[in-house]
Amino acid sequence: MFATLKFAALLLAVVVCWATQDYDYNDAEIDEEPTLGDSPYGSLWPLPQKVQISTVVFKLSGASFHIFDAKASSSGASCRLLQNAYRRYDEYIFTSSRKQGQNKSKKALASDMSELQVWITSADSECDSYPSVTSDESCEFTGMVFVFFHFSHLADTLIQSLETFSQLVYKDEYGAKSINRTDIHDFPRFAHRGLLLDTSRHFLPIKVILANLEAMAWNKFNVFHWHIVDDPSFPYLSRTFPQLSQHGAYHPYTHVYTPSDVKMIIEFARLRGIRVVPEFDTPGHTQSWGKGQKDLLTPCYSGASPSGSFGPVNPMLNTTYDFMSMFFKEVNTVFPDAYVHLGGDEVDFSCWKSNPDIQKFMEQQGFGTDYSKLESFYIQRLLDIVTTTNKGYMIWQEVFDNGVKLKSDTVVHVWMGNKVEEELQKVTEAGFTTILSAPWYLDYISYGQDWQKFYRAEPLSFKGTDAQKKLVIGGEACLWGEYVDATNLTPRLWPRASAVGERLWSDRDVRDLNDAYSRLAKHRCLLSGPATVGLCP
């Protein structure tokens, strides 16, 4: 369903619509330092598809400027998503001046831009829905006084449009908040623009997650891939199996995400047009699971005797699948997104190989000594379980590589750095939707401006037909948590992740490093906080 949104913004015509895209993985080295100069596009990030900024300038009246619903709009004060967005962006633009009490008595001049009216004509404003993988983020703004948006999901388009509007605001030489008359035609090149955060290796406080969801919206990311549990800890507090976090979290009360915490994070993301896709990775990366669930993991052997250590999930016990069935039924009720990430990567077979019961099971199943077949046996049963919950699933590329039978709507997540183009070609040739992370592991850092290699990455450089390349729906920047906690996550992530954001949003030909460097320097200032909007150089 399409809705029409009108912004009554004095002589501002901004346009936002749909997209297309290609990475030379060998073109990822950092060359010479880019030159910092002035960009004709100011601080716009990611760069819209088409931009025309004129020399006609309008002042934003701090005394009276506000964003509100037009009288004829089908949605009004009852739409929390809209009202929340208006308030946030009003604060982003005017917080510093209003806190200082500036312009309170000053009357708006005729040439001032004093209001932004939002007019929604659709009968269903989608105020209570969640963004989805099929959300159409395309829109169109036309006209001089009125700005028209056409879109199918309110949050996605509204938030991104207000974000673009706020980035156009600057402080002129006299200290006045100003905006040039601007025409923009825009749309995301890729539908899936994700960010992975790891909350197992180091627990991330809720305020850190929320702050980075905010930053995601400022960079037009739309998927929060929540790698919520792993070997080191199990901070997800399950209602069905509370013992998992009771015994598997770093602390059962201070280092867990309660059901209300999870609900708050999902709602905070929804109000910013961001999907929350949780990852519960099995059969490997599950040491923390075994602390609270007896017999879930495989006992490892040293010779003929148990060694006292445990390996991956035990794939031969019916109780394993009973547990997974109950657990993922709960996950389905807690996380509203249509997809869950099931992991399936980096399974160490050594423990399975050492266990005599597993060896006997392998013989019974006719697997010989090929333990990838045992892994596939487990994954297949897990996928069947998740299918019964009517959720789609994302998996790391090893599941595909090992020949597991996958549903047609499976999303294969390519992450391994060797033979990336070959992997993309194989996955898409098999007809599977794909997302890419291989060039964007932000936990790897290097000296200098390493954002350049993230910026140069091209998801569609592999050999394949146009139909194959359409199956690449985007990518994700990943910040794994081995050396990242609340003290250093944000400065390590931003603005380096911004480079990934522009690559996934902007046109394929947007590759001028000097121009990007100029805009990114200004955008970094904006990322420092709402009070800097209109103050950055």
Side-chain angles (χ1 to χ4, degrees), residues 1 3 5 69 73-86 88 118-131 135 151-159 266-274:
M1 174 178 290
L5 179 71
D69 299 294
S73 178
S74 62
S75 182
S78 63
C79 181
R80 182 165 175 254
L81 186 150
L82 282 174
Q83 304 310 317
N84 188 288
Y86 302 162
R88 288 202 318 274
V118 179
W119 180 8
I120 302 171
T121 60
S122 135
D124 180 8
S125 62
E126 300 178 320
C127 285
D128 299 320
S129 63
Y130 290 91
S135 293
F151 55 89
S152 64
H153 193 278
L154 181 60
D156 297 340
T157 305
L158 176 65
I159 304 306
I266 292 171
E267 177 64 4
F268 190 91
R270 182 186 80 86
L271 293 174
R272 287 153 182 80
I274 297 171

Side-chain angles (χ1 to χ4, degrees), residues 172-379:
D172 66 17
E173 63 269 31
Y174 301 106
K177 299 286 181 67
S178 303
I179 190 168
N180 289 53
R181 173 181 168 181
T182 305
D183 294 295
I184 298 178
H185 184 77
D186 200 13
F187 47 85
R189 187 181 171 203
F190 289 104
H192 186 115
R193 305 176 306 281
L195 175 66
L196 178 150
L197 293 182
D198 171 8
T199 58
S200 173
R201 290 172 174 86
H202 282 94
F203 180 81
L204 297 179
I206 292 173
K207 65 178 182 180
V208 172
I209 295 176
L210 298 184
N212 282 280
L213 284 169
E214 195 80 87
M216 285 175 65
W218 294 340
N219 289 273
K220 299 184 180 177
F221 283 90
N222 65 346
V223 180
F224 171 36
H225 177 169
W226 192 355
H227 189 86
I228 193 167
V229 301
D230 206 296
D231 280 331
S233 73
F234 196 102
Y236 171 73
L237 201 168
S238 166
R239 283 194 173 102
T240 311
F241 300 101
Q243 71 274 16
L244 291 172
S245 60
Q246 187 72 25
H247 297 286
Y250 287 127
H251 190 283
Y253 303 112
T254 62
H255 285 59
V256 296
Y257 302 106
T258 68
S260 60
D261 293 336
V262 173
K263 185 176 181 179
M264 177 175 62
I265 288 168
I266 292 171
E267 177 64 4
F268 190 91
R270 182 186 80 86
L271 293 174
R272 287 153 182 80
I274 297 171
R275 299 165 51 202
V276 177
V277 177
E279 180 182 354
F280 292 95
D281 189 2
T282 66
H285 294 281
T286 48
Q287 290 299 299
S288 64
W289 299 54
K291 294 177 181 178
Q293 186 65 21
K294 185 180 179 182
D295 298 329
L296 180 64
L297 303 186
T298 304
C300 304
Y301 275 67
S302 178
S305 304
S307 66
S309 61
F310 294 87
V313 166
N314 193 329
M316 61 174 282
L317 299 180
N318 288 331
T319 53
T320 293
Y321 303 103
D322 293 338
F323 165 81
M324 291 297 174
S325 180
M326 294 177 66
F327 182 77
F328 279 100
K329 281 181 181 177
E330 175 187 316
V331 169
N332 185 47
T333 63
V334 172
F335 294 91
D337 196 79
Y339 280 80
V340 60
H341 203 302
L342 298 177
D345 64 316
E346 298 181 320
V347 182
D348 184 355
F349 296 155
S350 58
C351 183
W352 282 347
K353 290 178 179 179
S354 74
N355 186 298
D357 294 326
I358 295 290
Q359 294 170 12
K360 193 177 299 182
F361 183 77
M362 290 279 288
E363 292 176 13
Q364 293 171 352
Q365 296 295 323
F367 294 158
T369 58
D370 186 352
Y371 284 84
S372 67
K373 290 183 179 179
L374 180 61
E375 178 190 10
S376 296
F377 173 85
Y378 166 80
I379 292 288

Side-chain angles (χ1 to χ4, degrees), residues 76-97:
S78 63
C79 181
R80 182 165 175 254
L81 186 150
L82 282 174
Q83 304 310 317
N84 188 288
Y86 302 162
R87 176 189 55 75
R88 288 202 318 274
Y89 278 92
D90 183 271
E91 290 178 356
Y92 292 163
I93 297 169
F94 290 107
T95 292
S96 59
S97 61

Side-chain angles (χ1 to χ4, degrees), residues 51-105:
V51 189
Q52 284 187 320
I53 302 177
S54 79
T55 57
V56 178
V57 180
F58 297 93
K59 309 299 181 186
L60 270 66
S61 172
S64 60
F65 184 89
H66 61 299
I67 307 169
F68 62 98
D69 299 294
K71 289 183 179 179
S73 178
S74 62
S75 182
S78 63
C79 181
R80 182 165 175 254
L81 186 150
L82 282 174
Q83 304 310 317
N84 188 288
Y86 302 162
R87 176 189 55 75
R88 288 202 318 274
Y89 278 92
D90 183 271
E91 290 178 356
Y92 292 163
I93 297 169
F94 290 107
T95 292
S96 59
S97 61
R98 287 180 178 168
K99 277 186 177 179
Q100 296 166 14
Q102 297 174 9
N103 299 321
K104 281 187 176 180
S105 59

